[in-house]
Amino acid sequence: MYIDQFKDVMSNCRFCFMCRHLCPTGIVSGRESDTARGRALIADTIRMHPEAINEADFVDAIYRSDLSGASRCHCDGYHDGKGYDEIGLQLALRRDIVAAGNAPEAVKAIAAELENSAAWEVSKKADLLFFADPSAASRPAVGTAVAKVLGAAGIDFGVISGGCIGKALNVLGFVEAGTAVMKKFADFVNSTGAKTLLVDTPAAMDALRNDFPAAGIELKCEVKCTASYFAALAADGKIKFANVPALQFIPGDYIKNYMKCGCSDRLLKALGAAVAPFGTNTEESYCCGEGALVLDKLNPSLVALMVETVKRHAVAGVKIAVTSAYTANILCAAGLDAATLTEIAGDSVC
């Protein structure tokens, strides 16, 4: 089983309560099975009794996870090199569930939809291409903002649009299908001859920078995130920002807990906004399931509970800045004033 490579994680996490306060699903549900410890207990039970992978409650618990990465990122064992990779364990267990033919029907339907969407087109040939993946495309204001910022800097660019690039398939446990889609996307991008691929969605950035190389898939262009790219343009004096509103900032799961990237901070500094931290501490995730990519489709009632947590920390009259379109869409649908950093940059460029 794929979980066998994470025996140390199961052995240690199943006895540890230290990250319970960092499990967003566990916080809102109160269920032990929605914590890192609970998931490790499930995995270890399946390791010892493989037939337990047929238990519907076990499978449901693993697909309820938000995959925020907060527990792993702030685990002492993970930071000192002992490798308590509870996210890796969860992804391995999902892969085992899929291999056993036990993926829930809702999960299989989403995976089939994702795989069928794996086709792309490019608006024109250019050295710089912006990838309007499905998440970014779900908020037209993102594409508009990219065009405004690049236009203000006098930069010519084309747009790649289309479907899944494999990340969500991998997250759901359909790794073979995900790898095939990743190879297909790399071949498409490489065929354009672009020198730089500009990416707005943090999950897509994580895939292109980490998942693709790990799978031995090469992109011939440089991959850059919009936040870092915009910040560099501002530092070089090619663009300026003005009239940026005061913000509350929610650091994204993929930016903070996966890539540990400072790109958002660089853009916030370039914007010159008055920024207030969000929530009670810097370790918790308030991204409403961004790490799991499709949690809003699999378990909308669970995501709705996470939104209530965000509402309790939101300050009236202050815009909430987020790093992903996923989180922005969920918060806006709940009536909160939220926007991605890219959108805020587009509204403020001059």
Side-chain angles (χ1 to χ4, degrees), residues 106-116 169 172 174:
V107 171
K108 290 192 286 188
I110 291 173
E113 181 181 346
L114 290 167
E115 192 171 2
N116 290 334
L169 285 167
L172 290 173
F174 294 81

Side-chain angles (χ1 to χ4, degrees), residues 38-177:
R39 291 186 290 265
L41 282 166
I42 290 171
D44 200 47
T45 300
I46 291 172
R47 180 184 66 83
M48 294 186 292
H49 306 283
E51 68 278 8
I53 202 167
N54 297 313
E55 294 287 341
D57 287 345
F58 285 179
V59 172
D60 174 67
I62 298 307
Y63 280 103
R64 282 168 60 89
S65 174
D66 53 89
L67 295 174
S68 75
S71 294
R72 178 181 66 176
C73 183
H74 297 289
C75 174
D76 289 339
Y78 186 69
H79 282 302
D80 67 16
K82 292 181 180 178
Y84 300 148
D85 183 4
E86 71 109 10
I87 294 296
L89 174 62
Q90 289 185 68
L91 295 179
L93 186 49
R94 288 184 175 198
R95 192 173 181 181
D96 282 327
I97 290 169
V98 170
N102 289 337
E105 291 302 318
V107 171
K108 290 192 286 188
I110 291 173
E113 181 181 346
L114 290 167
E115 192 171 2
N116 290 334
S117 75
W120 311 272
E121 59 183 22
V122 60
S123 63
K124 68 176 185 178
K125 186 177 178 63
D127 286 343
L128 175 68
L129 296 178
F130 168 63
F131 178 36
D133 71 289
S135 182
S138 70
R139 291 183 68 83
V142 170
T144 300
V146 170
K148 286 179 65 175
V149 173
L150 296 182
I155 297 173
D156 182 51
F157 72 101
V159 178
I160 292 179
S161 56
C164 173
I165 64 170
K167 182 67 170 179
L169 285 167
N170 292 338
V171 164
L172 290 173
F174 294 81
V175 174
E176 287 75 17

Side-chain angles (χ1 to χ4, degrees), residues 141-143 145-146 149 200 226-227 230 267 322 339-347:
V142 170
V146 170
V149 173
D200 188 70
T226 49
F230 291 175
L267 181 54
V322 298
T340 68
L341 284 178
T342 297
E343 294 172 88
I344 293 168
D347 289 339

Side-chain angles (χ1 to χ4, degrees), residues 288 299-309 330:
C288 303
N299 206 317
S301 61
L302 191 60
V303 172
L305 291 175
M306 295 180 182
V307 171
E308 291 305 310
T309 299
I330 287 172

